[in-house]
Amino acid sequence: METTVTQLQMIPLSYYIIFCTALFTIGVVGVLVKRNALAIFMSVELMLNSANLLLAAFSAYRNDPSGQVFVFFIMVVAAAEIAIGLALLVVVYRSSRTIDINILNRLKW
Amino acid sequence: MFQVYLFLFLSCVALFSAMMVLLSKKPIHSVLYLTLTFFALAGHYILLNAQFLAVVHVIVYAGAIMVLFLFTVMLLNLNKEGQFPKTTLVKIIAAIAGGLLFVVLIGSLKSFDLATVSNPAVSQIGLVKNLGKTLFSQYLLPFELSSILFLSAMVGAVMLGKKDKE
């Protein structure tokens, strides 16, 4: 009886998959659409966060703490990445007075 | 049932604010909506009974990363509208591409065998005590290496941010 009650209260794992996929897609669209390099960074953060949440959900539903430890490490790497990336943005802005990625295309070809 | 309603509410808040991150004209509004998304995701972590991750998420994202973003927006003087005009064609193409990606991902993930072993509402793995035991026994070396990563990131950021002498 108790298992049926807890089964009823459980959120289906597919809800998490749909939600995280939607969030990831919003991040991808942001990377495609935006021309502001800072907004692209924000979209990358959205994608990282959706992947993190899905990893944590899988870990919680399979009762395996390794997944949540990995989420912790992803957060560590994301924090370091943002610190370096924003420092780079400031340097680029200082040298070329813009962070529009359509203008910053000298490394393209 | 209450948990499902809470999940739907948090999902709606997160998706709405994520959309507003893209739709906002001013970068500072984007950053503030991003903060709202992060808080909704922290609520999701609490719903999963992953309390350690929820606390770390709030500290790292809403605390550190958000301050970095806000400072960069203010340093670069970006808070003006119309700096980055974009055509309607690009928006339509990106929306179609994103929708197709969503359908493909859902279609491929739907066929997974989603066997659930435990109920997250009663599992204890996300608590600080249990996660700390795993982190400091099985994953001790990566944990220590991440401190070196942070040190190098800090040194690199300072090096990049310094003014050139010439």
Side-chain angles (χ1 to χ4, degrees):
Chain A
M1 186 60 200
E2 193 156 72
T3 53
T4 53
V5 169
T6 51
Q7 284 289 325
L8 278 178
Q9 283 172 344
M10 240 165 102
I11 303 162
L13 193 48
S14 51
Y15 285 18
Y16 279 103
I17 290 181
I18 293 169
F19 168 63
C20 291
T21 311
L23 204 59
F24 188 85
T25 312
I26 291 174
V28 171
V29 172
V31 171
L32 291 177
V33 160
K34 288 288 185 176
R35 286 175 55 191
N36 184 348
L38 197 72
I40 291 177
F41 262 111
M42 287 188 232
S43 306
V44 170
E45 282 303 302
L46 280 181
M47 285 154 67
L48 274 173
N49 270 293
S50 74
N52 268 352
L53 180 63
L54 196 54
L55 202 52
F58 282 144
S59 152
Y61 276 79
R62 297 197 68 89
N63 211 5
D64 183 1
S66 300
Q68 303 204 354
V69 174
F70 267 89
V71 171
F72 174 68
F73 284 126
I74 293 172
M75 281 180 185
V76 166
V77 174
E81 172 242 334
I82 284 298
I84 292 291
L86 291 180
L88 276 174
L89 272 190
V90 172
V91 172
V92 166
Y93 183 79
R94 218 183 265 154
S95 68
S96 58
R97 312 308 295 171
T98 183
I99 54 167
D100 189 336
I101 55 158
N102 285 4
I103 297 171
L104 302 173
N105 57 2
R106 262 171 287 172
L107 289 178
K108 196 173 171 186
W109 305 115
Chain B
M1 269 334 269
F2 174 68
Q3 283 189 327
V4 177
Y5 288 137
L6 202 57
F7 174 86
L8 292 176
F9 171 70
L10 285 172
S11 303
C12 289
V13 170
L15 288 178
F16 168 74
S17 47
M19 289 297 288
M20 289 307 289
V21 170
L22 301 191
L23 297 177
S24 298
K25 290 276 188 293
K26 292 187 174 182
I28 202 147
H29 291 168
S30 294
V31 175
L32 293 176
Y33 276 116
L34 194 64
T35 319
L36 189 58
T37 315
F38 287 157
F39 275 114
L41 285 173
H44 272 297
Y45 284 127
I46 292 172
L47 206 58
L48 280 171
N49 221 2
Q51 290 154 11
F52 174 71
L53 283 183
V55 171
V56 169
H57 191 268
V58 168
I59 291 172
V60 170
Y61 282 101
I65 289 182
M66 208 45 55
V67 171
L68 276 179
F69 269 119
L70 283 176
F71 264 101
T72 313
V73 169
M74 289 169 189
L75 273 177
L76 304 191
N77 201 12
L78 288 174
N79 206 15
K80 284 180 291 215
E81 290 184 34
Q83 274 186 326
F84 302 99
K86 51 196 176 191
T87 59
T88 321
L89 182 68
V90 173
K91 280 188 216 168
I92 292 170
I93 291 172
I96 291 172
L100 286 176
L101 178 72
F102 180 69
V103 171
V104 167
L105 282 176
I106 289 289
S108 60
L109 289 171
K110 196 167 67 66
S111 58
F112 268 9
D113 177 26
L114 296 174
T116 54
V117 181
S118 72
N119 189 345
V122 295
S123 79
Q124 304 286 310
I125 58 159
L127 305 187
V128 178
K129 186 183 170 191
N130 299 318
L131 214 55
K133 273 181 186 163
T134 315
L135 191 61
F136 286 112
S137 59
Q138 205 178 342
Y139 295 98
L140 185 60
L141 182 64
F143 181 78
E144 295 295 340
L145 285 178
S146 68
S147 66
I148 298 175
L149 174 77
F150 262 131
L151 183 66
S152 57
M154 195 171 75
V155 172
V158 170
M159 281 292 292
L160 288 171
K162 254 190 346 186
K163 272 234 156 63
D164 286 338
K165 284 283 185 290
E166 61 268 359

